[in-house]
Amino acid sequence: MERRGRMAKTPTSQTHQSPVSKRERRPSMFEKESYAQILRERLRESFHDVQYVEPPFDDSIADLGKEWKSALAKLKFANSYRMEPLKKFQAHSVETKIQQILKDSLKDVKYDDKAFSHLSLELADRILAAVKEFAYHRYKFIIKVLFIQKTGQAINIASRWIWDVAWDSWVEAKHETESYLALVLVFALYCE
């Protein structure tokens, strides 16, 4: 009779042991040679900022849009880990510039609701270009231009934003005549 136990032996012909493969040890960053190797690997894998890409001028205009769309989808930028702006938004200097633009643009303009819809877009573009000349890096700007006819009414204007008190800011500028009031609001939002 055969005896069954917990530790039944298997025949030696069926056992096959594979040689234990050693995994390669990762280099430590505290060793000089390994640190240089780690840096080389990271630099090889990193992406760099692209400042300007020259468009291909030999293709047709229809194909150009498709190429640019696919090229822009592949762009990746390296993290800079910057949590604060290089230059903080200066509200006073921007306000004086906007006030000057309003004064120059609206000095001889009378109220016309049809003309003001087009004029508000032009003013917003001019103000955005003027604000961008100050070179506030990583700021996004929202510009609101309002023309209000004076007919004896009162008006309240409110805006709500998710706001970072330390870096975000806003500017208000207005130009007033006998028949209307032009109000410009510029919101400067810092994006990390």
Side-chain angles (χ1 to χ4, degrees), residues 30 32 47 49 53 55 63 73 93 102 105 108 154 159 168-170:
F30 297 107
K32 285 186 177 184
F47 296 97
D49 292 346
V53 177
D63 295 336
S93 58
L102 284 176
S105 300
D108 295 329
S159 298
D168 297 343
S169 185
W170 68 284

Side-chain angles (χ1 to χ4, degrees), residues 82-89 137-139 166-167 190:
R82 177 172 298 282
M83 300 298 286
E84 58 188 35
L86 295 172
K87 181 168 86 169
K88 191 174 177 183
F89 184 76
H137 296 291
R138 294 186 180 205
Y139 273 96
W167 308 117
Y190 180 69

